[in-house]
Amino acid sequence: GAVVSQHPSRVICKSGTSVKIECRSLDFQATTMFWYRQFPKQSLMLMATSNEGSKATYEQGVEKDKFLINHASLTLSTLTVTSAHPEDSSFYICSARDRLWEETQYFGPGTRLLVL
Amino acid sequence: AQTVTQSQPEMSVQEAETVTLSCTYDTSENNYYLFWYKQPPSRQMILVIRQEAYKQQNATENRFSVNFQKAAKSFSLKISDSQLGDTAMYFCAFIVSRGDDKIIFGKGTRLHILP
């Protein structure tokens, strides 16, 4: 089956630092990758849609200068949380859409970010 | 606007029993896909089952099957012979078949399988 990796799985950082999260599709090419944020006991909240070679599309209320997304290849997208603050602490999940099964998204294992 | 509704926030069943999770959705589109995803305590989202709206036959994957009622816009998940490892949050999801749309998730049903 389609595998999506995410790195790191857990990160603790000081307020004001930037954190980069990588999302990779390991055995398929992803035309599109998505970044979600999930608060405890809630559903996934879409932050942005990332297409290879073009600018990401951000959802309403998501600051694009705060959450920088780069989709450098068909297998890699990165999310950088710039100048992180404690309120950015959350669980971040990426997903990738398989070119062959374009309607199906496969999810990474998530990254738990804690900003002190 | 498309919406997905899961009316059961939480459910508990005994191991080996059969359980059905409800999901309804609202859309004016005719071509779309429906999914059930499972999120166990590890928080990894796992695709359980996938259904194309143009197919009348209900999808099945081992112990997991769906009851897809297109006219009623209903897409329930049945788990047979439930196992302790089925304990998880289950999300019903929907996407239109245009290739550029976002997946829409329900709020989830937390399922506890009791020993």
Side-chain angles (χ1 to χ4, degrees), chain A residues 36 38-44 46 49 59 91 93 97 101-109 112, chain B residues 33 35 37 39 42-45 47 50 52 89 91 95 97 99-103 105-107 110:
Chain A
Y36 296 86
Q38 187 180 31
F39 293 102
K41 298 188 178 182
Q42 292 190 23
S43 188
L44 280 68
L46 180 65
T49 302
E59 295 300 300
F91 191 68
I93 307 176
R97 177 186 279 162
W101 295 93
E102 286 198 348
E103 293 75 18
T104 302
Q105 290 183 28
Y106 298 95
F107 288 82
R112 190 179 303 277
Chain B
Y33 292 77
F35 308 90
Y37 282 93
Q39 189 178 39
S42 67
R43 302 190 77 172
Q44 166 78 62
M45 291 283 284
L47 177 65
R50 177 179 184 266
E52 294 90 337
M89 191 74 153
F91 293 101
I95 192 168
S97 310
D100 61 349
D101 267 28
K102 298 169 283 195
I103 195 168
F105 287 97
K107 292 190 174 182
R110 187 169 299 278

Side-chain angles (χ1 to χ4, degrees), chain B residues 57-102:
Chain B
Q57 187 173 8
N58 289 324
T60 63
E61 285 290 337
N62 301 313
R63 297 182 296 107
F64 298 88
S65 61
V66 297
N67 183 4
F68 174 46
Q69 302 290 326
K70 191 171 183 179
K73 295 180 183 173
S74 171
F75 183 62
S76 61
L77 174 70
K78 185 171 86 171
I79 306 174
S80 303
D81 186 27
S82 57
Q83 301 174 358
L84 296 178
D86 296 333
T87 292
M89 191 74 153
Y90 286 81
F91 293 101
C92 179
F94 161 99
I95 192 168
V96 177
S97 310
R98 279 197 291 263
D100 61 349
D101 267 28
K102 298 169 283 195

Side-chain angles (χ1 to χ4, degrees), chain B residues 4-23:
Chain B
V4 176
T5 302
Q6 292 179 250
S7 59
Q8 305 149 311
E10 198 156 357
M11 297 180 73
S12 296
V13 296
Q14 293 293 136
E15 192 177 7
E17 288 185 350
T18 294
V19 59
T20 299
L21 279 59
S22 302
C23 174

